[in-house]
Every structure is written in C-alpha cells, then in structure tokens.
Amino acid sequence: MKRQGFTNLARALLLASTALLPHSAAMAAEVNAAVAANFTAAMKEIVTAFEAATGHKVLASYGSTGKLYAQIVNGAPFGLFLAADAARPKRLEEEGKAVPGSRFTYAVGRLVLWSPAPDRVDGEGTVLKSGEFSRLAIANPKTAPYGTAAMEVLEGLGLEAAVSDRLIRGDSITQTYQFVASGNAELGFVALSQVALLPEEKVGSRWLVPQSLYAPLQQQAVLLKEGAGNPAAVALAEYLKSPAARAVIEAYGYGTE
Amino acid sequence: MELEPILLTLQLATVTTVVLLSVGTPLAWWLAHTRHWLRHPLGALVSLPLVLPPTVLGFYLLVGLGPNGPLGGLAEELGWGSLAFTFPGLVIGSCVYSLPFVVQPIQNAFEALGRRPLEVAATLRAGPLDRFFHVALPLSRPGFLTAATLGFAHTVGEFGVVLMIGGNIPGQTKVISIAIYDHVEALEYGSAHLLAGGMLGFAFLVLLILQLMNRRMARASA
C-alpha cells in the first residue's frame, strides 16, 4: 500500500517535470556555436549582450574554420557556425548539413601584418621585402582562411620562396597571434580584429594589407541542421544581424554588409 | 607516403633518447643510492611530466624558450636565436617530457641490484668507475633497454608539447603526430590513415619486441 503511494508520487513528479520541460525550453534554450578563431574577442562581447537580452545560453567553441568544418561534417553537435570564409558554410549547405538559405555575411575581415614592437612594421609592408626578420607567423593556410589570405599576399608580392623557410604556422589565427605577441616570431599576419582594440602601450606597429592583395574575407554564418529547431540558435543568428551586434563587429575593425 | 615527418620524428626520438640516457643515468644512480634529503623532492620533480598535461609543459617552454624567457635569452646571447619553433627547442621539450620514462626504469634497476654486488666488487679492488661499468651496468641491462625503448616511443608519441612550441614547420618541427593532426583537419583522411596506421603498427611492434627481449634477458640471467 505504502509502496503504491510512492509510485504514485514518483509518477506525479515525473509528470510535473515533463510538463515543465518544453515550457522552459521555449523560454531559454542553449546553443553550441562553432566560431572562427579571429572572431573570438568580438563574439565574447556579443554573447554577453545576447544572453542578457534573450535569456538564452551560448556555448561557443573557437578554432580554425577548417577544423570546425571537419568537426561539423563528422557530427559535432553545433547549432550555428560562424566561419572565416564563405566557402565552408556553402559546402555545408550543399552537403545538406546546414539549413538552406540561412547563410549570411556577418563580417568582412581584414588582414594585417603586425608586430608588438613599435617601428618594426612600416605602413607599406616593405619589411617583408627587406627580410629583416627571422620568423614570420601565419595561420595554417589549409585550415584557416586568414592563413590562405596571407599566402595569397606573399605570392602576390613574389616573396613566397624568399620567406618559405622562415614561416611558422599557427594552428589557428589565435595561436598565430600568440606566437607574435609572445615575441617568438617578430611579425605575423593576423586579423585586424585582434589588434584593433589593443591598449596604447601594446599596439606595436602594423601594415593594413591592401584588399587588392587577397580575396575578400567574407565571413559567413550558417544555421546548421542541428540548430534548425533550436530557438537559441535561430535567435543568435538573427541577433548577429542586429544594429547592436553590428556596432560591436565594426568596433573590432570588421566591415559589415 | 610522406617521409619528411617520419624521418624528423625518428631523428627527434633518437636525439632525445641519447641525451636522456646520458643525463638520466647519473641522475638515476644518485637517486638510487643517495640518502640525501633532496632525493624526495628531486624524485617528485622527475616524475612530474607523468602527471602534468602537455599543455602545462608547452606553456612554460613557450614562455621559457621565447626571446624574453631565460632559456631563449641565453640562446640569443650565444647567437643561436630563440629556441621555440626549432628542432633544438623540440629536443629540450621532449627531454623534459620523456624524462621519467628513462630515469625510472634505470633507477629501479639500480635499486633492485642493491649494494651487495658492488661491495663484493670493491673487496676485489675494483675502483668506483670499474664497479659501475663492469658490474652495475651489465646487471642493469634490462632496465636500460626498457628506458631507451620507452623514452624513444614516448617521444614519438608526443603531440601537445610540439603543437604549442613547434609552429608546424615542415622538416623542422612537423613531426608525425602533427602531420596526422594536419591531415585530419584538412579532411585528408587517406594520408591520415597511412600515418596513423603506421604509428599503430610501430607502437605495437616496439612493445612486443620489448616484452620478448625482457623475457629472454630474464631467462638468461636466471
């Protein structure tokens, strides 16, 4: 008899909890976002504002675009993908891993040649031709679009062979930046967003690479199949297009469309 | 088949093993025989790489080998340039990372040997060096074999440290584990399979040979 009462209680609790579930999901959901490394700092600001505005929760994973793409192809549970290029989101769409028509450009990246030392890099990038450095850091061209762009610049300037034995490759643009910031490489091609908001004493010297020297870094986001039914994923994609998010994105030196 | 990362890995593991055997043997000898209070902290220090995440080592090496770090600064003074992203830098990292794998088997062998054979040799007028080279070393051979194999194999299997202080330079710091990682990231699964399968076979063979040799040696000395 007593046992009967216990099962009834358990059943009631179970019912109550299941009744709560969809309700709470509608109110606040959680989204896993795969974010290109160059967008790390901007994304952190955007996430804070987004969470405060909507009550949703964002779990962001930062890495090179190629790595994240490979993880998504292999079934990683990401709801939204913010890439550093247009090619990989497009491929995910074609492969049926993303929601058709959900692709949009959230930022346009700029490449800079940067050194933490003042006067190291001139505004023309002639330091590359003079060869007065022992190490030049770039992101891995195979997996990081900013690395691909850096190689395009070197090829365009005809310096590819000259610097090939002095190139060190970061796993992503974040590691590349760290190689340069820590002084292990004197200079490196990094994202403008990484050095746009540095304090005066750390600003160093840089050459903003002319956009004619590399294919535009159209950074596209796409809603993944995993996130199609997730209100948090959909809301985050929308939020990226909002004036509030755009203000942050532009503050970091990106262009917006 | 890419030979460059394979040759580089074998080169790194060989150099590391040789360096560690020369540094690790006196250290193991001292740890096995001393009564000094320092043996406990030093023993713990030697074992640290067993439990530390490679990222801890990678981080300190990056800071230490960089131009602003003590080791990197010293290398700059000597005109070697900074050590991060160089083969010598990887050797230093691997030596720290594989240290316990070399020191501990040798130390265990020395401890198992005990003082008795050495005392007997001393009564027969063998000098300290003579005792070490003609009594201690031959009797501790299995320990040395284990140490060399484990040190070598562990260095071949290194990844985290190299990822952090290597910079992925072909022919310089792009070892097999990094090459596999690179292929997987770029979705080049065919090449990744080749290298990964090769590593798997290699590791299995090394451990199998080690087991068989240890058994033979145990029988020979029994």
Side-chain angles (χ1 to χ4, degrees):
Chain A
M1 203 69 230
K2 197 171 180 181
R3 193 159 171 190
Q4 185 73 43
F6 181 74
T7 25
N8 277 343
L9 177 69
R11 193 174 297 149
L13 278 174
L14 204 66
L15 267 173
S17 63
T18 48
L20 281 173
L21 264 180
H23 183 61
S24 64
M27 277 174 59
E30 208 170 76
V31 55
N32 290 316
V35 183
N38 76 82
F39 203 60
T40 305
M43 188 65 183
K44 282 182 174 158
E45 258 187 65
I46 288 169
V47 164
T48 310
F50 171 77
E51 286 180 340
T54 62
H56 292 309
K57 196 159 168 30
V58 180
L59 300 169
S61 304
Y62 302 97
S64 71
T65 296
K67 181 200 307 210
L68 296 168
Y69 166 81
Q71 290 176 350
I72 292 163
V73 167
N74 286 296
F78 291 118
L80 189 68
F81 181 31
L82 279 71
D85 63 6
R88 286 179 179 89
K90 200 167 160 195
R91 253 160 68 185
L92 287 170
E93 234 177 10
E94 287 159 3
E95 288 159 353
K97 306 243 185 250
V99 177
S102 67
R103 210 157 37 94
F104 66 96
T105 303
Y106 66 92
V108 181
R110 294 291 313 266
L111 188 70
V112 287
L113 180 69
W114 176 73
S115 166
D119 320 322
R120 180 98 216 194
V121 180
D122 53 289
E124 303 294 315
T126 38
V127 62
L128 282 176
K129 295 192 184 76
S130 73
E132 283 166 22
F133 57 90
S134 57
R135 293 206 188 98
L136 170 66
I138 64 166
N140 185 342
K142 274 208 273 193
T143 55
Y146 279 83
T148 317
M151 284 311 287
E152 282 171 26
V153 174
L154 291 172
E155 280 161 27
L157 297 172
L159 295 168
E160 200 194 351
V163 301
S164 72
D165 55 351
R166 285 183 271 177
L167 281 184
I168 51 172
R169 288 164 196 79
D171 182 44
S172 68
I173 200 73
T174 347
Q175 198 186 30
T176 310
Y177 172 75
Q178 173 252 306
F179 284 166
V180 185
S182 65
N184 283 301
E186 295 105 317
L187 34 130
F189 281 104
V190 297
L192 174 62
S193 55
Q194 294 173 297
V195 296
L197 298 179
L198 285 178
E200 192 63 45
E201 71 276 9
K202 287 195 177 160
V203 97
S205 52
R206 68 191 191 202
W207 171 48
L208 189 60
V209 184
Q211 299 221 284
S212 55
L213 289 175
Y214 59 97
L217 286 160
Q218 265 204 327
Q219 303 195 194
Q220 295 204 326
V222 70
L223 189 64
L224 300 167
K225 277 279 190 287
E226 185 89 21
N230 179 345
V234 177
L236 181 57
E238 277 314 303
Y239 187 82
L240 283 168
K241 301 171 190 166
S242 73
R246 288 180 144 217
V248 175
I249 294 169
E250 279 162 16
Y252 278 93
Y254 294 101
T256 50
E257 286 187 351
Chain B
M1 195 74 200
E2 316 153 87
L3 278 174
E4 203 170 47
I6 296 172
L7 291 174
L8 184 73
T9 305
L10 296 177
Q11 199 184 347
L12 177 66
T14 309
V15 174
T16 302
T17 308
V18 170
V19 171
L20 278 179
L21 283 174
S22 12
V23 175
T25 305
L27 183 60
W29 182 259
W30 185 82
L31 283 170
H33 292 287
T34 187
R35 292 263 178 273
H36 200 283
W37 63 270
L38 260 176
R39 73 180 186 277
H40 297 300
L42 257 172
L45 213 55
V46 168
S47 311
L48 267 182
L50 286 173
V51 294
L52 283 179
T55 42
V56 171
L57 287 177
F59 169 61
Y60 283 132
L61 285 168
L62 193 71
V63 175
L65 297 175
N68 314 322
L71 272 172
L74 185 72
E76 292 270 23
E77 294 286 304
L78 296 168
W80 297 349
S82 117
L83 285 166
F85 317 120
T86 62
F87 184 77
L90 285 196
V91 171
I92 292 175
S94 307
C95 283
V96 176
Y97 183 62
S98 296
L99 184 70
F101 291 84
V102 173
V103 172
Q104 284 180 356
I106 300 177
Q107 189 186 338
N108 291 342
F110 286 156
E111 280 169 1
L113 187 65
R115 296 187 168 275
R116 182 126 183 84
L118 300 170
E119 283 162 2
V120 171
T123 58
L124 296 170
R125 296 231 188 116
L129 280 179
D130 192 23
R131 291 200 296 263
F132 178 77
F133 282 106
H134 295 109
V135 180
L137 275 194
L139 287 171
S140 313
R141 224 173 51 186
F144 276 91
L145 184 74
T146 307
T149 319
L150 283 182
F152 188 91
H154 190 243
T155 305
V156 168
E158 201 175 324
F159 173 68
V161 175
V162 188
L163 185 72
M164 285 179 82
I165 62 164
N168 201 346
I169 306 165
Q172 276 269 337
T173 60
K174 189 174 182 175
V175 295
I176 297 177
S177 59
I178 300 284
I180 293 174
Y181 178 76
D182 237 28
H183 286 313
V184 173
E185 292 222 317
L187 296 171
E188 296 160 349
Y189 290 169
S191 317
H193 269 304
L194 264 179
L195 280 174
M199 281 287 263
L200 191 65
F202 166 81
F204 178 77
L205 273 177
V206 164
L207 294 173
L208 187 68
I209 290 167
L210 189 66
Q211 281 217 352
L212 294 174
M213 285 184 85
N214 264 340
R215 273 193 41 200
R216 261 192 41 211
M217 279 199 192
R219 255 196 246 127
S221 59

